[in-house]
Amino acid sequence: MKFQPKASHFINGEYVEDTNGAPIDVIFPATGEIIARLHSATAEVVEQALNSAKMAQNEWAALSGTERGRVLRRAADVMRERNRELSILETHDTGKPLQETLVADATSGADALEYFGGLAASLTGEHIPLGGGDFVYTIREALGVCVGIGAWNYPTQIACWKGAPALACGNAMVFKPSETTPLSALKVAEILIEAGAPKGIYNVVQGYGDVGASLVTDPRVAKVSLTGSVPTGRKVYAAAAADMKHVTMELGGKSPMIVFDDADIENAVSGAILGNFYSSGQVCSNGTRVFVQKGIKDQFLARLSERLAAAKIGDPLDESVNFGPMVSENQMNIALGYVEKGKAEGARLVYGGDRIEGGGFYMQPTVFADVTDDMTIAREEIFGPVMSVLDFDTEAEVLARANDNEFGLAAGVFTNDLTRAHRIVAGFEAGTCYINTYNLAPVEAPFGGSKMSGVGRENSKLAINHFSEMKTVYVSMNDVEAPY
Ligand code: NDP
């Protein structure tokens, strides 16, 4: 098999196999071909991983931040040097076009390693002067063993977005990729070792949800960071709460994108394309409810259809292809099921809507117009290339409708009226907002959701607070005053 790794798991600096675990077949979504066979972690493998993380963590935390940061920055360099090889692997694992993986996956993973590697040396507590010469100082401490659990849409990026801040703070990590895309996290683990990371600080175990659940409930684990759906988030958050574990939850969305009639239409159409069809629509922050002001609706839809007709759909390994298959047959069927619901509930199909026959899990980029707020396709996360276009008249009306949803991951507005743009984002109930663009997530900026879309933030300096905690030390320079 083309992409068979040395073994399924990576623990204590080495590949580890246990064929007693349930088999995991890795499928190239463009052809349906099996490219690797791995095994889910048995209880023994999970034990080995947690044990090695626990054993390695203290020593790692005792290094200076500069030393830890150096390892992460070296790993970033290695990832960039191997970008093409890693991108080809990611394309086979996910089906995403090489045109995308070359610029969005190992590169954004490397950005996270470089950014948090750079921060590691400056992570400190503070000195707080008090009356009478007393003072407090705070010590920023690692949490201990952190568990990362990933979704299948950005496997390399998620492995690094969780691993880099965790390691920068002096934690050790056990990472469980989605069983749909298990290959690239193993490469991240290998590269960290090559960059000089001590054995055991970044371990990868494969498995289905039950493996994730056994990691979350283990008493050695201090923190769980999940990227996944809301139902999984609920379960993992509840399980972590039993032991008061720290959590970061990066969950789903049904984000609004508002296009006012004074917007630059070409930019708005570009934003809607990026925010609905990049990675075949399998992006959590996608702006899948596109509210278009009535005066420009026809123009917007016409231009959108023209631009979609220029999408090049095909073999994701062909670098000129910019729209690939969905990650799995199951995910494709879920998205096609929503297309049927959209039609049945009276939305007007203006583009696509069909499976593309000929092998692989391909469906057309799909646009519905005349969608109303109560339709299923406007309420539920589809996680596929299905855009809903809704009409609106006024600013107040559209803001209320945009917020009328349980999710709050992202939101965007296209307008040339600056004051209106800021008024709208001030009113958005969302963690990540965009003005006149959509879906950019640089490592320097906090990323995460409000409402049901999650808890905590990834990236930026804020991520440090989610992977460390403060110890407060009160120092008295005076006698102790007791009442009796
Ligand atoms: P799932 O919620 O199905 O799975 C996420 C991960 O959790 C997988 O590794 C899964 O393992 C694991 N898991 C499942 N059940 C449990 C459990 N009880 N305890 C511990 N772990 C468990 O999500 P998908 O992989 O289908 O990813 C799609 C979802 O992820 C979408 O809702 C999307 O919006 C969200 N997402 C959010 C992002 C964000 O940053 N906010 C980014 C990307 C995606 P297994 O796969 O083996 O079941």
Side-chain angles (χ1 to χ4, degrees):
M1 273 178 269
K2 256 196 208 153
F3 289 93
Q4 187 66 32
K6 279 186 211 146
S8 300
H9 320 287
F10 194 93
I11 298 172
N12 206 27
E14 284 166 13
Y15 274 97
V16 170
E17 190 56 272
D18 181 350
T19 51
N20 289 322
I24 297 173
D25 284 344
V26 189
I27 291 168
F28 181 32
T31 60
E33 176 197 359
I34 297 177
I35 55 168
R37 171 163 293 171
L38 279 63
H39 291 89
S40 179
T42 55
E44 290 75 30
V45 167
V46 169
E47 177 58 30
Q48 234 179 303
L50 287 169
N51 215 17
S52 81
K54 184 83 192 156
M55 301 280 285
Q57 191 261 321
N58 279 341
E59 220 173 296
W60 174 243
L63 294 180
S64 72
T66 306
E67 289 169 305
R68 288 199 302 273
R70 194 175 300 139
V71 170
L72 298 182
R73 286 184 293 103
R74 265 196 224 120
D77 290 344
V78 177
M79 282 195 85
R80 288 211 179 88
E81 279 158 24
R82 305 226 179 111
N83 183 37
R84 177 160 286 273
E85 176 200 327
L86 294 167
S87 303
I88 289 171
L89 180 70
E90 187 85 335
T91 287
H92 279 88
D93 218 1
T94 60
K96 294 190 291 181
L98 194 53
Q99 192 189 93
E100 287 187 17
T101 54
L102 281 169
V103 297
D105 292 276
T107 52
S108 71
D111 284 352
L113 290 162
E114 184 172 12
Y115 177 84
F116 289 106
L119 278 187
S122 53
L123 303 180
T124 57
E126 60 181 341
H127 170 265
I128 305 164
L130 301 168
D134 285 7
F135 62 95
V136 158
Y137 67 92
T138 58
I139 307 172
R140 186 179 288 282
E141 293 188 333
L143 299 175
V145 175
C146 301
V147 161
I149 301 178
W152 40 256
N153 57 345
Y154 282 83
T156 308
Q157 183 186 80
I158 295 171
C160 293
W161 278 20
K162 299 190 187 308
L167 268 46
C169 293
N171 302 287
M173 174 154 277
V174 178
F175 185 78
K176 189 203 86 67
S178 163
E179 94 282 352
T180 311
T181 53
L183 299 179
S184 36
L186 293 169
K187 292 290 172 194
V188 174
E190 259 184 53
I191 287 170
L192 280 162
I193 288 288
E194 203 177 317
K199 293 176 175 182
I201 62 147
Y202 191 89
N203 308 278
V204 176
V205 297
Q206 309 294 349
Y208 298 91
D210 59 323
V211 172
S214 70
L215 290 169
V216 172
T217 47
D218 191 279
R220 282 164 292 192
V221 171
K223 147 112 200 178
V224 182
S225 177
L226 169 82
T227 296
S229 61
V230 170
T232 303
R234 267 207 196 94
K235 281 191 232 162
V236 171
Y237 199 172
D243 296 321
M244 265 341 145
K245 292 181 166 95
H246 297 242
V247 295
T248 301
M249 296 281 142
E250 294 292 352
L251 309 176
K254 188 75 197 175
S255 301
M257 182 186 295
I258 301 176
V259 183
F260 284 97
D261 59 11
D262 65 346
D264 178 313
I265 299 260
E266 276 314 294
N267 275 336
V269 169
S270 297
I273 287 174
L274 281 179
N276 280 272
F277 302 121
Y278 200 72
S279 301
S280 296
Q282 302 163 117
V283 179
C284 52
S285 48
N286 271 356
T288 47
R289 290 183 293 143
V290 182
F291 291 91
V292 179
Q293 206 159 16
K294 276 188 185 146
I296 53 161
K297 174 184 165 180
D298 292 339
Q299 199 188 345
F300 179 89
L301 288 173
R303 201 53 201 123
L304 180 63
S305 296
E306 276 168 23
R307 300 261 308 264
L308 286 177
K312 187 162 177 199
I313 306 175
D315 176 4
L317 292 165
D318 172 348
E319 272 180 63
S320 66
V321 163
N322 46 31
F323 188 91
M326 311 223 19
V327 75
S328 64
E329 188 164 20
N330 183 41
Q331 195 59 29
M332 179 189 68
N333 287 333
I334 290 173
L336 288 169
Y338 276 107
V339 172
E340 290 312 310
K341 272 188 201 147
K343 288 187 205 161
E345 291 179 18
R348 176 165 61 97
L349 184 65
V350 293
Y351 197 89
D354 291 322
R355 178 174 185 175
I356 301 171
E357 300 299 339
F361 315 131
Y362 287 89
M363 69 175 277
Q364 295 173 307
T366 298
V367 179
F368 280 104
D370 303 338
V371 177
T372 53
D373 298 346
D374 55 330
M375 289 181 187
T376 310
I377 55 169
R379 303 218 65 81
E380 296 182 11
E381 182 181 48
I382 298 174
F383 225 61
V386 183
M387 181 197 295
S388 292
V389 177
L390 304 92
D391 307 341
F392 76 93
D393 288 305
T394 68
E395 182 181 321
E397 167 216 336
V398 76
L399 184 59
R401 289 170 59 201
N403 286 334
D404 183 19
N405 189 278
E406 60 170 349
F407 298 107
L409 189 53
V413 55
F414 283 84
T415 175
N416 275 331
D417 179 339
L418 268 182
T419 51
R420 174 158 67 191
H422 292 291
R423 220 168 30 237
I424 289 280
V425 293
F428 272 147
E429 295 169 1
T432 309
C433 296
Y434 297 98
I435 297 177
N436 291 336
T437 188
Y438 203 81
N439 253 1
L440 303 173
V443 68
E444 296 87 348
F447 181 81
S450 304
K451 303 201 285 190
M452 292 301 283
S453 292
V455 174
R457 293 292 179 264
E458 296 201 292
N459 291 342
S460 80
K461 290 181 199 151
L462 288 187
I464 296 300
N465 288 333
H466 295 290
F467 280 104
S468 60
E469 64 187 355
M470 284 300 190
K471 177 179 275 173
T472 298
V473 183
Y474 188 112
V475 182
S476 173
M477 305 296 280
N478 299 288
D479 291 336
V480 178
E481 274 179 39
Y484 51 86

